[in-house]
């Protein structure tokens, strides 16, 4: 294309505020009838049978929804099923020879699993886990990067009815130990190491450090990812994955029949307090919901090659790399490494090589692609792409339009999907073949989802005004509780907006938002003490307790500040004890303390030493002011502070 035309196109795109779904897409889409919104509305909650119908049930459920004990809802009651049978066994007849997982390692090696092969390996590993003593309802922790053994282990657990708890491999030994202890998990599946930017990275030492902190007995399975590059002595309670699977060659295990409400997995996530929350997801509701949203929003069809570039260590990977796509019998792509290794076109090479139909990624990645420039995608044939998706944080219109033009070639709808670990699956997004897309706005709530934007009092705000997202009806994929903490489940998510006397239960996701005349919701970000770094959710309290754990630190406050690439970055304000000196050494100790206690993703962008923190008269730290300082914003009213001068002093330092 010639320059002037290109410039004209850019100008048109920059101004355009809404986009119609491409016709070629609409014609073939799984869901394209706009009546679906009314159908779900008129037929609620029975409409959710549409989701349940996508699964194979051992025994039919009695009722779609039981709400006798709100907010402890039950979905598809007395239905019986097994998640691994739904993701594997039922596809064998028709799709046994088709690819289930297309894996690519960072160094370029590939591993392919047909449904038949995946079924075999899951059976063998499930048999191995049983042999090691894992029983139904035992929680098995996984601490693994993006290698095929991770989804294999998850499905093996699902097969024997043992809930898994996956800990992101980038988290620290401390984080692993905390989660294993909190869940009383006696089993761990991990690996020796993995590749990052071409280097073999030791993972086992971190796993061992974590295990050393777990006070109960544990049994560990270790996957050998790095071969001879890294040798680790295994202890008596540690077993080599390959040996275990070889011992079970050809084993076949009947999938355990699980109740719809039996736990499928736990996923720990950050919240307002220092203790991560164990979000509990169940078998029937969760699996129906992620299958339905994969079908309706991602438009996944069995013959597709679908790629979600998230990490399975987060909910996005659970729902939309493993369970949703495999339940629908499609080919799901898994990539081990970073998007710029060996070069910045790695993602586009993968799309071209495998003929990827749908790409689901995060705004932080899109911002990086944009910065690297369009010459990288231009080197590749991306014409196989049919749909694009984003998740994890707000996407600004500029990045949206770049994605639309340079990756989608203006022929792919974009779904900007808002949801959370707790919601299990997508909640607010356009349906790709219905209605227009508005860059920067996620869209309306999905059919059957009743989300609103309200003020402090719970009244719906006028279009354009900022408020809070609430959801006033349950949905099948919702968390059922926080593991062993029903009380915190109620207080964290339901107390703010529910009226329990009137039996009105409203879920509060702790996000700010705006709504427009068409009911499109634009998410503004978290309103609790959670920082969203590159789409990764971190609790300020967790960071603060890591900083205060460093010798010489008296007090600390962590806040999120705007960051061009990461969306938000961590800023920590630190008061030192007498006798300790500000400076590079102390700063390094603090950064190291945070990395050790949480992981490199929580690494502070800046450490700001200060003799005081801005506090209200009642002694509460004014985080909002600290955020303003980090952002270089004008400081609002400081007159309610006990120590108004302190903010000016801090601001001067930055
Ligand atoms: O603030 C919202 C943001 O990510 C939070 C949930 O984080 P997590 O539980 O880690 O799950 C991330 C993947 C689902 C939300 O409370 N968020 C997620 N998706 C979007 C988003 N913010 C804006 N737009 C989105 N599409």
């Amino acid at each position: 294309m010639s320059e002037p035309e290109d410039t004209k196109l850019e100008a048109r795109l920059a101004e355009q505020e809404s986009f119609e779904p491409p016709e070629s897409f609409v014609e073939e889409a799984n869901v394209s009838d706009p009546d679906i919104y009314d159908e779900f509305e008129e037929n609620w909650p029975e409409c959710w049978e549409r989701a349940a119908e996508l699964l194979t049930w051992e025994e039919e459920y009695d009722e779609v929804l039981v709400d006798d004990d709100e907010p402890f809802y039950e979905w598809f009651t007395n239905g019986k099923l097994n998640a691994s049978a739904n993701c594997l066994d039922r596809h064998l007849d028709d799709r046994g020879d088709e690819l289930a997982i297309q894996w690519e390692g960072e160094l370029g090696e590939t591993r392919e699993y047909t449904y038949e092969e995946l079924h075999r390996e899951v059976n063998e590993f499930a048999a191995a886990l049983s042999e090691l003593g894992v029983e139904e309802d035992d929680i098995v922790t996984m601490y693994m990067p993006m290698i095929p053994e991770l989804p294999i282990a998850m499905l093996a657990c699902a097969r024997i009815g043992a809930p898994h708890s996956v800990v992101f491999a980038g988290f620290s030994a401390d984080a692993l130990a905390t989660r294993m202890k909190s869940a009383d998990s006696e089993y761990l599946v991990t690996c020796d190491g993995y590749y990052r930017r071409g280097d073999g990275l030791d993972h086992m030492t971190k796993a061992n450090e974590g295990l050393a902190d777990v006070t109960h007995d544990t049994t560990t399975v270790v996957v050998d990812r790095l071969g001879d590059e890294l040798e680790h002595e295994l202890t008596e309670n540690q077993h080599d994955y390959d040996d275990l699977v070889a011992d079970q060659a050809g084993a076949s295990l009947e999938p355990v029949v699980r109740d719809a409400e039996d736990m499928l997995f736990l996923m720990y996530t950050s919240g307002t307090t220092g203790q991560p929350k164990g979000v509990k997801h169940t078998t029937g509701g969760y699996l129906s919901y992620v299958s339905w949203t994969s079908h309706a929003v991602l438009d996944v069809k069995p013959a597709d090659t679908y790629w979600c570039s998230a990490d399975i260590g987060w909910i996005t990977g659970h729902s939309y790399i493993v369970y949703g796509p495999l339940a629908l019998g499609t080919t799901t792509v898994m990539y081990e490494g970073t998007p710029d290794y060996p070069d910045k076109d790695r993602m586009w090479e993968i799309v071209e090589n495998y003929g990827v139909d749908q790409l689901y990624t995060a705004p932080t990645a899109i911002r990086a692609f944009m910065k690297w420039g369009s010459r990288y995608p231009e080197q590749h044939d991306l014409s196989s792409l049919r749909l694009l998706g984003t998740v994890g944080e707000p996407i600004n219109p500029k990045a949206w339009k770049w994605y639309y033009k340079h990756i989608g070639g203006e022929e792919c709808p974009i779904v900007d999907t808002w949801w959370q670990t707790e919601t299990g699956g997508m909640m607010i997004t356009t349906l790709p073949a219905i209605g227009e897309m508005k860059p920067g706005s996620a869209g309306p709530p999905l059919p059957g989802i009743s989300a609103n934007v309200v003020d402090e009092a719970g009244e719906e705000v006028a279009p354009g005004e900022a408020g809070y997202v609430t959801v006033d009806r349950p949905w099948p994929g919702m968390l059922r509780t926080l593991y062993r903490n029903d009380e915190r489940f109620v207080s964290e998510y339901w107390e703010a907006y529910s009226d329990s006397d009137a039996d009105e239960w409203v879920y509060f996701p702790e996000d700010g938002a705006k709504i427009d005349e068409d009911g499109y919701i634009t998410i503004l970000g978290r309103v609790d003490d959670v920082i969203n770094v590159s789409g990764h959710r971190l609790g300020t309290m967790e960071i603060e307790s890591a900083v205060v754990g460093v010798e010489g630190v008296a007090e600390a406050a962590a806040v999120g500040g705007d960051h061009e690439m990461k969306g938000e970055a961590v800023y920590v304000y630190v008061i030192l004890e007498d006798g300790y000196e500000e400076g590079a050494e102390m700063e390094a100790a603090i950064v190291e303390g945070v990395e050790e206690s949480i992981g490199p993703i929580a690494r502070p962008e800046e450490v700001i030493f200060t003799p005081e923190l801005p506090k209200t008269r009642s002694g509460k730290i004014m985080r909002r002011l600290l955020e303003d300082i980090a952002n270089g914003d004008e400081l609002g009213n400081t007159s309610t502070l006990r120590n108004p001068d302190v903010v000016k002093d801090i601001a001067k330092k930055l």
Side-chain angles (χ1 to χ4, degrees), residues 269 314-316 390-395 416-422 442 509 511 523 525-526 532 535 537:
T269 188
W314 304 95
I315 191 73
T316 306
T390 89
V391 58
E393 36 163 348
I395 179 165
D416 172 359
T417 60
W418 176 87
W419 57 292
Q420 311 180 293
T421 305
E422 291 88 341
D511 266 11
I523 303 292
R526 303 284 309 190
N532 190 335
R537 184 165 153 183

Side-chain angles (χ1 to χ4, degrees), residues 403-439:
Y403 194 33
Y404 186 71
K405 174 169 183 258
H406 295 283
I407 307 305
E410 299 189 68
E411 281 178 12
C412 301
I414 295 182
V415 284
D416 172 359
T417 60
W418 176 87
W419 57 292
Q420 311 180 293
T421 305
E422 291 88 341
T423 69
M426 302 158 179
M427 299 288 282
I428 301 176
T429 171
T430 49
L431 282 168
I434 304 174
E436 48 184 28
M437 302 168 264
K438 301 185 191 181

